[in-house]
Amino acid sequence: MERFSEMDGEVSEAGKQLLHVDIHVDEHEPRRGILELLSKLRPHWKAEDIQMKAFTEGITNQLIGCFVGSLQEPGCVLVRINGRMTELYISRDREVKMFQVFHAHGCGPEIYCSFQNGICYEFIRGSVLEDHLLQQPSIYRLIAAEMGRIHSIQPKQNLPAEPLIWTKMTHFLTLMQSNANGAPSPSQQTRSRAAVQDMPDHEVLSAEMQSLKRRLSQTDSPIVLCHNDLLTKNIIYNSTENMVRFIDYEYADYNYQAFDIGNHFNEFAGVTDVDYSRYPSVALQRDWLTAYLESYKHNTGREVAVTEADVTQLYIQVCKFSLASNFFWGLWAILQSRFSSIDFDFQRYALMRLNYYFEKKEEYLGLTMSKLTFSR
């Protein structure tokens, strides 16, 4: 198991050593620990002047904004306290490296330090994107273009031997099996018994993952640097500068291009109130994919012209990999239901993601260029 405290000697692409503060911040009484962190990061701040704002959108970790004066003023520090037992399935070493890569390419905030159970990083001015704005052309084209820019970032070293989704899902299934008889976390014990009873068992899920891997590995989707978790709460929108930035790199790594896009489309359905009727229409998807391909081609130095065939080919790949996204987060939510202290119905969420996977599986896997015709 990798430990975040090993990051003392981590060096970013810019050559700057990452500060590690060897303290543990109490998730229930965080102020004292946070003030100790800020004494290192913002020594000129007076403790009595420091204000803290808890952001409640996340369902994995705690995030607290620390500032003097106004949250939107320069110098604000975000303190993220890692969720309970998340080190079992998230590589904190890898996350820090991804933070540094995104920041070095102007795509993400600066990471200031690590501590025993979390990190501190730069506050990006703007606001968390609201769900309904995903449907607004001027906004979703910004998101598509930013994703195209990130996907164009070239690795300095060789790509991993296998795309992230297969290594992660294999690990999830291993953890599920080793904790098969474990009791749910205290926050989950009162949740829906029906969801537990309807959940596919480990054998079914394991066989399904292997089948999905065989079929999707034949899909010619490029391996690129992906965010892999682009829900609205991980998108910061700055209306003044008309730009978006992506935050939270816990799952960022090299993966299938079409997975990152399909995963984002799945997030149109929401998190706390999942509703797949909000899944983007075919027309919206094609417009989104056109903006994406223009950006991706431009940033990789290719001819920018995007054809209808280009869009259709990517649309098919995205549909197929959206299945992998639903399966991935279904497994993740099963694990969260056993470990998380966050007040969220992970069992119900897992069932909704897996049910939609099985509902769309044959339709999406059967898509081919010859079967699809679109008209503008």
Side-chain angles (χ1 to χ4, degrees), residues 119-136:
I119 55 174
C120 299
Y121 60 95
E122 178 186 10
F123 177 82
I124 295 180
R125 280 186 285 180
S127 56
V128 172
L129 194 71
E130 297 177 23
D131 289 351
H132 72 276
L133 292 178
L134 289 175
Q135 304 276 352
Q136 187 171 310

Side-chain angles (χ1 to χ4, degrees), residues 257-258 261 289 292-293 310-318:
Q257 175 192 60
I261 302 171
L289 294 173
Y292 166 84
L293 284 169
D310 290 338
V311 175
T312 300
Q313 181 182 40
L314 184 54
Y315 169 81
I316 292 170
Q317 293 173 345
V318 166

Side-chain angles (χ1 to χ4, degrees), residues 178-240:
S178 63
N179 290 274
N181 298 318
S185 66
S187 67
Q188 301 296 313
Q189 288 176 351
T190 59
R191 297 301 184 182
S192 171
R193 292 184 182 275
V196 178
Q197 293 169 351
D198 293 340
M199 203 76 71
D201 63 25
H202 182 272
E203 185 177 349
V204 169
L205 292 172
S206 185
E208 195 65 38
M209 194 217 92
Q210 292 302 324
S211 172
L212 189 63
K213 182 178 180 179
R214 284 194 300 272
R215 298 180 76 168
L216 292 187
S217 294
Q218 300 169 14
T219 304
D220 190 26
S221 182
I223 307 301
V224 298
L225 179 63
C226 294
H227 184 280
N228 293 315
D229 189 19
L230 200 59
L231 65 164
T232 52
K233 306 312 178 189
N234 286 338
I235 301 172
I236 302 298
Y237 173 52
N238 186 322
S239 58
T240 304

Side-chain angles (χ1 to χ4, degrees), residues 130-193:
E130 297 177 23
D131 289 351
H132 72 276
L133 292 178
L134 289 175
Q135 304 276 352
Q136 187 171 310
S138 62
I139 303 297
Y140 70 63
R141 288 172 190 149
L142 287 177
I143 297 168
E146 181 67 5
M147 187 180 286
R149 188 161 77 104
I150 290 166
H151 285 183
S152 72
I153 295 173
Q154 298 299 308
K156 288 195 171 183
Q157 299 173 333
N158 293 333
L159 290 171
E162 193 171 49
L164 173 104
I165 53 169
W166 308 130
T167 55
K168 279 286 186 187
M169 287 200 285
T170 299
H171 186 51
F172 287 171
L173 286 163
T174 300
L175 287 172
M176 287 168 57
Q177 188 171 37
S178 63
N179 290 274
N181 298 318
S185 66
S187 67
Q188 301 296 313
Q189 288 176 351
T190 59
R191 297 301 184 182
S192 171
R193 292 184 182 275

Side-chain angles (χ1 to χ4, degrees), residues 3-8 20 22 93 114-116:
R3 291 191 60 82
F4 203 22
S5 57
E6 294 170 358
M7 294 308 300
D8 292 47
H20 177 75
D22 194 24
D93 289 3
S114 63
F115 54 97
Q116 288 179 11

